[in-house]
Amino acid sequence: MWLISALASAVFAALTSILAKIGIEGVNSTLATAIRTLVVVAMAWVMVLVTQTQGGIHEISRKSWLFLVLSGLATGASWLCYYKALQIGMTTKVVAVDKFSVVITMVMAFVFLHEAFTIKSIIGCLLIGAGTLVMVL
């Protein structure tokens, strides 16, 4: 099931880039990010209400709140930077560099979460890094 969700995420992320590139024309990138964020917030809360999971908000620990807020700040910074890059750069190059986050995430997971590196993950990191370089140059 995780693979289907991950593939759907990839398809929607691809659509996000294409739709954003078209929609951002003539719009300030920060304003465009704010509009996109409002839509995401509304959609997320609709899903919380539809699934009736809003009651769980009282059970969230302080640690989880802290890291969820920090994650939200990182997401906001990422989106602001992404939209600015998308507005002034070629979509294919911006997306390639953005997806380099996979390599950065893997390194951070190794350092901070103590997840194991395997031969496959090292090869994958190298290939993604090389692919990013090829796409950008």
Side-chain angles (χ1 to χ4, degrees):
M1 185 62 176
W2 71 265
L3 184 56
I4 292 169
S5 293
L7 287 171
S9 174
V11 169
F12 287 121
L15 279 171
T16 297
S17 301
I18 300 303
L19 296 171
K21 183 65 175 181
I22 296 167
I24 203 168
E25 187 176 327
V27 179
N28 176 278
S29 63
T30 303
L31 177 59
T33 303
I35 292 167
R36 173 190 183 198
T37 302
L38 283 176
V39 173
V40 171
V41 167
M43 184 177 165
W45 277 106
V46 165
M47 290 306 300
V48 166
L49 296 172
V50 165
T51 59
Q52 298 180 343
T53 54
Q54 64 273 17
I57 200 167
H58 301 294
E59 300 166 12
I60 299 173
S61 70
R62 285 183 185 260
K63 178 184 175 185
S64 288
W65 271 109
L66 172 65
F67 282 94
L68 289 171
V69 168
L70 291 173
S71 175
L73 291 171
T75 298
S78 171
W79 287 1
L80 288 166
C81 293
Y82 180 77
Y83 264 56
K84 185 63 176 177
L86 195 60
Q87 187 170 49
I88 59 180
M90 290 179 54
T91 305
T92 51
K93 290 184 178 193
V94 171
V95 171
V97 173
D98 180 63
K99 296 312 173 198
F100 188 70
S101 65
V102 172
V103 173
I104 297 167
T105 301
M106 292 174 78
V107 171
M108 288 180 158
F110 173 74
V111 172
F112 297 113
L113 303 177
H114 309 292
E115 292 186 5
F117 260 126
T118 64
I119 295 298
K120 286 196 308 188
S121 64
I122 292 169
I123 292 170
C125 276
L126 293 172
L127 289 173
I128 292 169
T132 302
L133 192 61
V134 167
M135 291 290 295
V136 172
L137 297 179

